[in-house]
Amino acid sequence: MNLGDPRRKQRAIHLIESLSAKPTASIPQACGDWADTIGAYRFFGNEEVQWEAILAPHIENSVARMAAHEHVLCIQDTTELNWSAWPTARLTSWL
């Protein structure tokens, strides 16, 4: 990942670890403290940081893994289930 400055790369790795550890949390909740939260917002607002540069290693590794196979299925499931409106008693009767 080339973000033009080693500090940006360190911040990106730290953010990826924090956000992936708590994927449903807000940025402040995932970051844990004010300094990390401010750092995250500065990182996201930095015009020198491009999403393409962050995803480039993932894309390169994915292409390399796919090259080893004759056929690759790229399946996407956009199904969303929201059970919050159902009373718990009705849900457990289904299980």
Side-chain angles (χ1 to χ4, degrees):
M1 176 177 4
N2 181 8
L3 299 178
D5 186 320
R7 293 171 296 180
R8 288 188 200 127
K9 181 177 179 177
Q10 289 173 337
R11 174 62 68 183
I13 292 169
H14 182 71
L15 278 171
I16 290 166
E17 290 171 348
S18 296
L19 296 173
S20 64
K22 299 178 182 177
T24 60
S26 66
I27 292 172
Q29 290 170 331
C31 290
D33 65 30
W34 189 242
D36 278 348
T37 300
I38 293 298
Y41 286 124
R42 285 185 182 152
F43 179 83
F44 293 136
N46 188 332
E47 292 183 8
E48 299 293 319
V49 176
Q50 300 297 316
W51 65 268
E52 294 93 340
I54 295 171
L55 283 181
H58 170 67
I59 293 168
E60 290 167 9
N61 289 332
S62 296
V63 169
R65 286 192 306 272
M66 289 187 286
H69 303 281
E70 185 177 345
H71 299 285
V72 177
L73 300 178
C74 296
I75 300 170
Q76 179 180 350
D77 181 2
T78 58
T79 302
E80 292 185 23
L81 302 174
N82 181 351
W83 299 98
S84 62
W86 285 59
T88 306
R90 284 183 72 185
L91 285 177
T92 55
S93 67
W94 278 26
L95 301 176

